[in-house]
Amino acid sequence: MVMKNPKLAQGTRRKLVPLQVLVPVVSTVIALGIGLLIIAATGASVVEAIEAFWDGMAGSDFNIGASINRAISLALVGLGFIFASRANLTNVGGEGQIAMGGMFATAAALHGAGGLPLGLAFIVPLAVGTVAGAVWGGLAGFLKAARGTNEVISTLLLSFIALPLVYWSVESFHLLRKPISDVSSLPESAEIPDSTKLPLLFPDNGSPLHIGLLIAAIAVVVVWLVLKHSTLGLRLRAVGLNATASRRAGMRTSFYVILAMTVSGGLGGLGGAIMILGQQFYLTSDFSSGYGFDGLVVGLLSRGSAVGVVIGALLFGFLRSGSINMEISAHVPSAVVLICQGLIVIVIAASALLTNRTVTR
Amino acid sequence: MALLELSGLTKRFGAFTALDDISLLIERGEVHCLLGENGAGKSTLCNLVFGVHRPDAGTMTLGGEPFDPRGPAEALQRGVVMVHQHFSLVPNMTVAENLMLGRASAVLKPQDIIVRMEQLAAEYGLEIDPEARIDELSVGERQRVEIIKCLLGDPQLLVLDEPTAVLQPDEIDALLAICRQVALRGKSVILVTHKLGEISRVADRTTVLRQGRIIETVAMEGADIRSLVRSMVGRDVQSAGSVLAAAVDIEGKTPAKSSSVGPTSPGEAVLQISDLVYRDPHGVPRLDGLSLTVGTGEIVGIAGVEGNGQSELGLILAGLAAPSAGAIVVGGTQVTGCTPQEITDAGVGIVPEDRHAVACIKELSVAENLYLGAIGKFSRFGLLDKSARRKAAETMMRDFDVRASSPDVSMASLSGGNQQKAVLARELSLDPLVFLLAAQPTRGLDVGAIEAVYNRIRAARDDGLGVLLISSELEELMAVSDRIAVIYRGKLVGELAAGSFSREAIGAMMSGHAHV
């Protein structure tokens, strides 16, 4: 008899690789495998597609830099998500918070910040974008604390408000739309002044990698410290787990709900500001295109861990770069990668049922 | 021939064995009590019989035929009915409407139900107005509706899970009489309880469960109550202790008071409640001009049937609800409508009645729960000093005999008794502390833990604290309090001093029948 005891095998494996790591990795591999099958089904050359995909992700210093730049914004939104979820709040409004952050950062960069000295030229727009996102998130927190409005609904609906606001701002000449110079002028803002663009980390080798990486790294460390080791993190957790008991223990529960959503939204707003100041340089109506929802997925996949957010953001950042190139060079629809992302989420969600199964009495 | 025969029943939940090799006969026409502490497996056993769970091993027969219900519906079909601890009645419908639910065919015939209700009233003394709305009824009356619902189909076996926990004394008497009537008509009754007084009054036989096993089954004629307690607990409880007296409570005698209880002359007032009014969100007055004073070094008990304002009083004292009118002063400080933090700062410790919803956060560790109100105490620059907190928690756990493998295990992994000891530890370690509210402090605890809680409360009193004890257990109040005030419909309707406690007098006041 060579039949293995599956329970035993699982038991030993659990010791070697923690399930929290194993599950996302296996999910990703499975999803990518299915993605390859779909590519084959579209009739494109799989080899060519993979080459184009790899080239787009990491084929050159430029591509690596672009991938990491994408990951930066995703990481910030993901950090915002896990920050709110520590207080048992689900911020699905990353898209709107990015939009507000990007829009106000653009406005600040175009109107006044450009002439500031000592790096303030880009720091001020970043701060303005962060505050805009924080207000947008904090609004949902306030509604939750004051009226009990479900934050999933309010953050989602606030996104549906924020996106048309961006559209409006780039459509209106008296707001952010650049003057029409010829018939092909698109509804978008003027390019922000050079002084407000984020400084590059390696200006000599053509990599677009900018100091947003350092900002995101600091954010990762701070969020990790706060959630894991600070009194604030414990209070957020307590309020999220049991608001009544926390109130009895003397905590101002409303304050922590609003704070959690404000910080969460602020991180999203910062992500939006970095997108504009770091790489796009001008505002378009759809500049946030899906980053908020990808960031939400990054937050979900990380299972509340800041390190998990970094891994997830890099994964999604590289996937996105690869998929764009795959579409351009190999004519494989980038939707295939979106399908893969969706599959990763579904597989992980399904496997969560396995790993989270507890003894129920 | 026995009506119900259980042989070798085993039920596991994950790694936890709730029932282990249970074999038992239930005879026709007997009232069979299941006695055991919390977690002994009583409810699980009932749920197996009623088809809520299915056994992992073993078989059942009912009336000689194999019985393996796949769900309550099948059990009902075979004539097995159950009254759960939590009622399943629709509050804004009438009694008759509720009785028609679940058995309504396409055409509703209210008249049939009313005729049947009259029959049941005549047979068992189960009188109730068919037109009354459920939310107008008392808890005892609602339970009566549940029982009527069960008896409508003329069942063979009636299972009652802790039916007396929510009742006042005269309602308990009525319920026990109904059980006897049901048994006299050849049906069988399984009655789950942990109150020995009831067992000695109604049971034909009693089966004692402990940790999922049957310890013994005894006929009640000539049985020794004290030996039942020993089987239930598995050790000798301090035999003269008030716990045993409270638990035994044979035939309503006042339990012997232990020597530590005595009216040390109470000092100045630490808690003064005057004309407290509380209206719930629907405008219904739950507290209606309640006034009360608790002095230093005394334990004041609040007796009352549940739902007469005790819970609201507890919430207001904890700062979780704001009174509509009235004033609360603790040690000279006005705390009316103050936040929980301000109330804590005034020197008030609170043991809330709902341990899981209010007193602790079960997902957090024991140490985190012990310092839930003082998270900032062990921190530097906003970062937690977990090792210092662990050390302090270990000391506190030792002092208060909180048994857990480490301060870092989750609160949920502790037994109810140890959770409650942890809550007491936290609240009694407050500084300053002049007053303690203990609301239903022993609810759901086993006998050993109850003893520990009583001792802590008495020690707090001896240290000069004023203690307010809210409890639905009369025996508990009589064993621990220096003074008992009775609450009825949001008002205190009478008060008895130590030495003059009498079950009958308190019971009458609890039901609003008499004033002293």
Side-chain angles (χ1 to χ4, degrees), chain A residues 63-285:
Chain A
N63 287 348
I64 292 176
S67 297
I68 295 178
N69 280 352
R70 290 197 164 87
I72 288 168
S73 293
L74 292 175
L76 287 167
V77 176
L79 288 175
F81 180 85
I82 66 168
F83 196 92
S85 73
R86 185 105 265 222
N88 203 15
L89 297 165
T90 309
N91 175 12
V92 301
E95 194 80 16
Q97 291 141 15
I98 287 181
M100 296 305 280
M103 180 169 70
F104 278 88
T106 309
L110 287 174
H111 301 288
L116 295 172
L118 299 169
L120 283 173
F122 64 87
I123 292 174
V124 167
L126 283 180
V128 169
T130 305
V131 170
V135 167
W136 219 237
L139 203 53
F142 173 76
L143 288 172
K144 171 93 177 179
R147 283 268 161 261
T149 313
N150 187 318
E151 78 284 358
V152 175
I153 293 168
S154 60
T155 51
L156 195 65
L157 294 183
L158 282 168
S159 289
F160 292 153
I161 297 173
L163 295 176
L165 281 180
V166 174
Y167 184 71
W168 181 40
S169 75
V170 296
E171 285 283 342
S172 311
F173 294 106
H174 61 280
L175 293 174
L176 292 174
R177 184 166 184 174
K178 68 177 178 191
I180 293 183
S181 49
D182 59 66
V183 285
S184 65
S185 282
L186 295 168
E188 57 196 26
S189 78
E191 187 166 332
I192 56 173
D194 281 348
S195 61
T196 60
K197 295 176 182 172
L198 294 183
L200 299 179
L201 286 177
F202 309 107
D204 299 332
N205 71 354
S207 165
L209 194 61
H210 52 63
I211 61 152
L213 182 65
L214 302 181
I215 298 173
I218 293 169
V220 168
V221 173
V222 170
V223 167
W224 172 76
L225 265 182
V226 167
L227 294 189
K228 281 272 178 199
H229 297 289
S230 76
T231 55
L232 173 61
L234 180 55
R235 290 198 172 103
L236 288 174
R237 188 152 172 246
V239 169
L241 288 170
N242 186 335
T244 311
S246 303
R247 201 147 69 86
R248 176 77 270 284
M251 291 172 228
R252 290 168 295 155
T253 51
S254 301
F255 170 78
Y256 290 106
V257 166
I258 296 173
L259 178 73
M261 288 305 295
T262 302
V263 171
S264 181
L267 286 164
L270 179 60
I274 286 179
M275 282 168 70
I276 296 292
L277 302 179
Q279 199 153 23
Q280 304 198 3
F281 306 138
Y282 54 88
L283 186 70
T284 57
S285 66

Side-chain angles (χ1 to χ4, degrees), chain B residues 10 24 43 51 89 92 131 187 207 237 278 294 357 387 406 432 506:
Chain B
T10 298
L24 182 63
S43 289
L89 300 170
N92 53 5
E131 300 303 325
K187 308 175 197 306
T207 293
V237 179
Y278 175 75
V294 178
S387 67
S406 125
I506 297 175

